[in-house]
Amino acid sequence: MEDERSFLDICGGPLTLRRRYYSSYCREFGLSSARLSLRSVTAVTCTVWLVAYGLFTLFENSMILSSAIFITILGLLGYLHFVKIDQETLLIIDSLGIQMTSSYASGKESTTFIEMDKVKDVIVNEAIYMSTKPRLDCLIEVYRSCQEILARQKATSASP
């Protein structure tokens, strides 16, 4: 079973939470943020280049223009590859473990897997990575579902 719900991030931007229930022991949550808008990239690029052109006319130094172009391109590539996350996924399987995946705008993916025998509890801490920045209502929904699976896993491992 799969469903989607819309939420807002802490800045008011749209987020989509996709939930997939493979079984009562396995769930996947995918949180997608809005794609990078061409309008904002164009606005920042034009602003930097206009300021650089103004400084160029004042100081008549072509190095200013070259530096502005170089810094803008490197900054955009760095932002897309290291900062802008398009989607975060949490896959929890009660007998196996928890897998967290972050997909960046450049296509890069970062995956972390934690074996279930090393998991004592799940704490939602959005203050470390601050990636998609969901609001509390979205975090509560994911947290409660994780707690359901962990409770089942603890109950089955405690029974003889």
Side-chain angles (χ1 to χ4, degrees), residues 59-80:
F59 299 110
E60 296 180 4
N61 186 351
S62 63
M63 193 65 168
I64 294 172
L65 289 176
S66 301
S67 299
I69 292 170
F70 186 70
I71 289 170
T72 305
I73 291 172
L74 283 181
L76 180 61
L77 290 175
Y79 178 74
L80 292 176

Side-chain angles (χ1 to χ4, degrees), residues 45-60:
T45 303
C46 288
T47 303
V48 169
W49 288 1
L50 285 172
V51 168
Y53 184 72
L55 292 173
F56 166 72
T57 57
L58 283 175
F59 299 110
E60 296 180 4

Side-chain angles (χ1 to χ4, degrees), residues 17-21 23-30 89-95 97-100 114 116 119-125 138-155:
L17 177 64
R18 186 188 72 253
R19 298 177 294 185
R20 290 184 181 160
Y21 297 94
S23 72
S24 60
Y25 304 106
C26 178
R27 294 184 190 162
E28 181 181 37
F29 301 93
T89 305
L90 176 73
L91 175 64
I92 182 166
I93 305 171
D94 84 341
S95 61
I98 299 173
Q99 177 177 301
M100 300 168 288
I114 304 167
M116 194 53 82
V119 176
K120 292 182 182 177
D121 202 357
V122 172
I123 298 173
V124 178
N125 187 355
C138 179
L139 294 174
I140 287 173
E141 191 163 324
V142 173
Y143 175 76
R144 285 184 180 154
S145 190
C146 290
Q147 290 299 325
E148 286 175 21
I149 292 178
L150 287 176
R152 277 195 196 111
Q153 196 268 339
K154 287 179 183 177

